[in-house]
Amino acid sequence: MRVKNIEFPIFKTKIDSSKKFDLTDFNQRQAYFDLKAGKEIKKLREYLKKNTFIVYLLGKKNSGKGTYAKMFKEVVDKDRIEHFSIGDMVRKFDEVVQDKKKRKELISFLEKNYRGFIPLEEIIKSLEKRSTKTLLPSELILALVKKEIAKKGRKTFFIDGFPRDLGQVSYSLFFRDLIDYREDPDIFVLIDVPEAVIDERIKHRVICPLCQTSRSLNLFPTKKVEYDKKEKKFHLICDNSECRGARMVQKEGDALGIEPIKERLKTDEKLIKQAFSLYGIPKVLLRNSVPVDKAKEFIDDYEITPEYSYELDKNSGEVKIVEKPWQVLDDNGVPCYSLMPPPVVVSLIKQITKALKI
Ligand SMILES: [Zn+2]
């Protein structure tokens, strides 16, 4: 098979306006989308009143696929768009298998709908032992997707996490048939995120041990930051008042960053390239980063992800938060800024409108 190298174009979201937005604020974000993609959002809403479409999100693990899909849904149409995560489905499926009554119902469904090369009994047995990750064959995932999507009714779907491996790319061609949407347009959305961005996101993420809220020490801090004199380290304090000042902690293994998922990232990259070389399906190319020397021309300053660092005021003992534009090296070693999700979603909205020819 011929696999092309993909050039992800830089999308221009800069406009001639002195208006500035805080993109972390819900209301300001709505105003931002109105200004930058209002016309397209209107068209999409009109289109969705009578039509549906299917999007396959393809990006490396932790590239923000879910974030972009959920924001698109929030901005365009909360009721008619559904973000469907295969990963979440598989995790739920695992629970069902452990429940006797639900399992019976599931097996009777699969007996009618599963066609594959591994016997159903064998799959169920391995699932009971909770060794799902290695054994769930594509054919079984397809049967499950069909069941779950049928339950949700006629909607526009953003399918996140499918296809998972190279063999599944061809499945996506007749995926539409599986969900009885023969006439629905479908679109591949390919996402390019520098590995340095994924690495930093993993390395700095922390969670609250009580309410499990996830944050990031350098990218998404809480309101209160604490300095530990003994450890000589800064810690985020959970914003949730019920957690009574709980200190957020790093999950085991996260300090290693992308190291443990290197192979997976390589497979994901191959998959993206292969999907790109598939004819007959429109493709939307999204990029998370913009080279520093092109930033002025293409984006507005407030669209850049800020990076936070901390300093201790020796006299007052208070922690000072320092904010600056987050800069990383992309996979080719070019200094880049990483974009916040909203400008990427503006690009998504505009490109999908174009792909749908509306
Ligand atoms: Zn908490």
Side-chain angles (χ1 to χ4, degrees):
M1 170 171 304
R2 213 169 45 144
V3 176
K4 296 178 204 164
N5 254 330
I6 319 171
E7 191 67 51
F8 283 83
I10 307 170
F11 196 89
K12 187 169 180 172
T13 49
K14 191 184 178 83
I15 54 167
D16 221 4
S17 165
S18 56
K19 271 192 195 155
K20 279 195 163 124
F21 299 92
D22 172 4
L23 296 179
T24 59
D25 177 274
F26 179 83
N27 292 319
Q28 290 201 38
R29 203 158 61 223
Q30 301 306 309
Y32 164 85
F33 279 116
D34 256 357
L35 181 69
K36 295 218 170 177
K39 208 174 69 190
E40 289 81 6
I41 291 169
K42 236 187 199 165
K43 280 185 189 169
L44 280 167
R45 283 183 186 151
E46 203 52 45
Y47 179 84
L48 288 171
K49 281 183 188 164
K50 286 195 185 124
N51 309 279
T52 46
F53 60 93
I54 310 281
V55 166
Y56 301 102
L57 294 161
L58 287 143
K60 290 181 183 170
K61 191 177 163 69
N62 285 310
S63 59
K65 298 189 289 280
T67 306
Y68 299 142
K70 282 177 199 157
M71 195 172 278
F72 185 97
K73 172 188 157 108
E74 172 193 296
V75 171
V76 175
D77 196 325
K78 282 198 283 288
D79 303 322
R80 292 186 166 93
I81 300 170
E82 190 82 33
H83 169 239
F84 188 87
S85 157
I86 305 288
D88 289 351
M89 184 197 74
V90 170
R91 274 186 288 278
K92 243 188 256 154
F93 178 62
D94 205 29
E95 282 165 31
V96 169
V97 171
Q98 309 301 327
D99 179 309
K100 251 194 180 160
K101 202 176 139 221
K102 285 183 187 163
R103 183 170 66 208
K104 219 178 139 194
E105 184 221 350
L106 177 79
I107 291 175
S108 91
F109 167 84
L110 286 174
E111 277 169 350
K112 282 186 221 116
N113 293 282
Y114 166 73
R115 281 180 185 176
F117 297 101
I118 302 169
L120 194 55
E121 296 74 33
E122 206 174 290
I123 297 169
I124 300 290
K125 240 186 219 162
S126 79
L127 279 170
E128 281 167 359
K129 289 186 210 133
R130 291 189 172 273
S131 55
T132 47
K133 305 298 173 283
T134 45
L135 222 115
L136 275 193
S138 315
E139 292 84 359
L140 184 89
I141 292 184
L142 281 175
L144 291 172
V145 171
K146 185 178 172 183
K147 182 174 188 262
E148 290 304 308
I149 284 189
K151 261 200 266 179
K152 292 178 191 292
R154 196 183 160 86
K155 283 195 168 183
T156 285
F157 288 103
F158 276 64
I159 295 166
D160 175 351
F162 185 96
R164 260 294 288 276
D165 59 51
L166 301 176
Q168 288 179 344
V169 167
S170 54
Y171 287 106
S172 63
L173 290 173
F174 54 90
F175 193 76
R176 279 188 291 180
D177 303 348
L178 272 172
I179 48 175
D180 305 324
Y181 278 110
R182 292 197 61 123
E183 301 305 321
D184 268 31
D186 52 3
I187 302 164
F188 274 167
V189 171
L190 314 185
I191 303 166
D192 178 57
V193 176
E195 288 199 355
V197 168
I198 301 176
D199 191 49
E200 288 275 310
R201 280 183 188 157
I202 298 174
K203 276 184 181 155
H204 296 281
R205 80 181 158 201
V206 285
I207 58 161
C208 170
L210 300 176
C211 69
Q212 312 298 322
T213 297
S214 179
R215 288 297 182 108
S216 167
L217 198 59
N218 68 335
L219 302 171
F220 190 20
T222 49
K223 288 192 195 83
K224 203 177 157 206
V225 182
E226 194 175 76
Y227 182 71
D228 188 313
K229 278 184 199 153
K230 249 195 202 156
E231 293 180 339
K232 294 195 168 109
K233 263 186 185 166
F234 293 95
H235 294 275
L236 299 186
I237 302 301
C238 182
D239 281 334
N240 188 343
S241 60
E242 280 169 33
C243 297
R244 295 166 189 270
R247 196 182 258 190
M248 300 185 103
V249 293
Q250 192 172 40
K251 270 198 289 185
E252 212 190 313
D254 276 0
L256 297 167
I258 56 170
E259 212 41 54
I261 56 165
K262 274 249 157 105
E263 279 308 306
R264 166 73 191 278
L265 294 180
K266 244 187 237 165
T267 311
D268 288 349
E269 184 168 358
K270 261 193 221 157
L271 183 63
I272 295 168
K273 281 186 180 163
Q274 194 170 343
F276 182 74
S277 42
L278 204 65
Y279 293 101
I281 178 164
K283 288 157 211 102
V284 164
L285 303 180
L286 295 182
R287 58 181 290 158
N288 157 284
S289 62
V290 173
V292 171
D293 61 4
K294 298 218 165 70
K296 280 263 166 295
E297 184 191 341
F298 285 91
I299 53 169
D300 284 311
D301 287 347
Y302 59 83
E303 294 177 317
I304 300 170
T305 302
E307 180 182 30
Y308 302 90
S309 57
Y310 311 95
E311 281 166 15
L312 187 70
D313 187 315
K314 287 258 162 58
N315 299 317
S316 67
E318 272 172 34
V319 177
K320 212 178 99 192
I321 302 179
V322 185
E323 187 186 322
K324 62 167 199 244
W326 186 28
Q327 201 178 309
V328 289
L329 294 179
D330 72 8
D331 297 349
N332 299 315
V334 179
C336 281
Y337 290 128
S338 176
L339 292 172
M340 295 187 81
V344 181
V345 174
V346 164
S347 163
L348 179 62
I349 289 170
K350 292 196 170 182
Q351 292 190 66
I352 283 191
T353 310
K354 208 171 158 196
L356 292 169
K357 301 192 179 85
I358 55 173

